[in-house]
């Protein structure tokens, strides 16, 4: 979904050990990895069958569309979540997503960091990232 918008091209084939070169998304995974958006694991695996958490969702969308740059200091107190400590590795991405949210999907008191992200949430995050900066 993200690479449909970004249209990135990889200079090499996918290098993750658990993504076959002929996988339907291998070229997209390779391109997003080269761009630093998808990082995989230190073991060389991509985690192709892993569940995407809401924290990972926020971080990936932030890396893809520079959410923190788009909000450029416009984070308001209302962007805080009760369950996202400022020390969490994805806290800035999570708060930027809430600030740019155009769908109300992320307008709640809790973010549920470890909860599996749904396709609807992922779509809402990408939509908000693409259109969000126009509404600040």
């Amino acid at each position: 979904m993200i690479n449909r918008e970004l249209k990135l091209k990889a200079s090499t084939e996918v290098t993750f050990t658990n993504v076959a070169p002929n996988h339907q998304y291998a070229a997209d995974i390779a391109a997003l990895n080269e761009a630093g958006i998808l990082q995989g694991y230190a073991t060389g695996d991509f985690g192709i069958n892993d569940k995407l958490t809401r924290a990972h969702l926020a971080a990936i969308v932030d890396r893809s569309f520079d959410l923190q740059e788009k909000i450029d200091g416009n984070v308001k107190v209302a962007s805080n979540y009760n369950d996202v400590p400022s020390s969490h590795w994805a806290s800035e991405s999570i708060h930027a997503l809430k600030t740019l949210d155009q769908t109300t999907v992320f307008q709640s008191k809790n973010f549920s960091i470890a909860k599996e992200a749904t396709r609807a949430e992922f779509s809402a995050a990408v939509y908000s990232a693409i259109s969000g900066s126009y509404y600040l």
Side-chain angles (χ1 to χ4, degrees):
M1 248 168 89
I2 289 174
N3 207 27
R4 285 184 188 152
E5 179 68 22
L6 299 178
K7 297 175 178 58
L8 300 173
K9 302 286 184 205
S11 61
T12 61
E13 286 189 358
V14 68
T15 57
F16 293 111
T17 57
N18 64 339
V19 179
N22 63 344
H23 185 279
Q24 65 180 351
Y25 298 116
D28 293 314
I29 292 168
L32 293 170
N33 177 245
E34 279 185 22
I37 295 168
L38 299 178
Q39 298 171 346
Y41 297 103
T43 61
D45 284 349
F46 177 64
I48 197 145
N49 295 315
D50 290 0
K51 303 295 182 190
L52 184 72
T53 67
R54 289 172 55 108
H56 289 123
L57 161 81
I60 290 168
V61 173
D62 183 12
R63 287 185 211 130
S64 300
F65 300 103
D66 299 318
L67 299 187
Q68 293 178 59
E69 185 177 306
K70 285 183 177 183
I71 61 172
D72 193 26
N74 289 319
V75 177
K76 300 167 182 64
V77 174
S79 71
N80 291 328
Y81 288 102
N82 294 334
D83 63 343
V84 180
S86 59
S87 60
H88 188 274
W89 65 270
S91 66
E92 292 180 5
S93 297
I94 291 166
H95 295 306
L97 178 59
K98 184 174 186 180
T99 300
L100 290 171
D101 182 24
Q102 299 298 305
T103 65
T104 71
V105 168
F106 301 103
Q107 300 304 316
S108 61
K109 293 181 181 181
N110 294 308
F111 186 74
S112 304
I113 295 169
K115 181 181 169 195
E116 182 180 341
T118 67
R119 288 179 185 260
E121 290 165 340
F122 194 86
S123 298
V126 171
Y127 172 79
S128 293
I130 293 168
S131 63
S133 61
Y134 300 115
Y135 298 101
L136 285 178

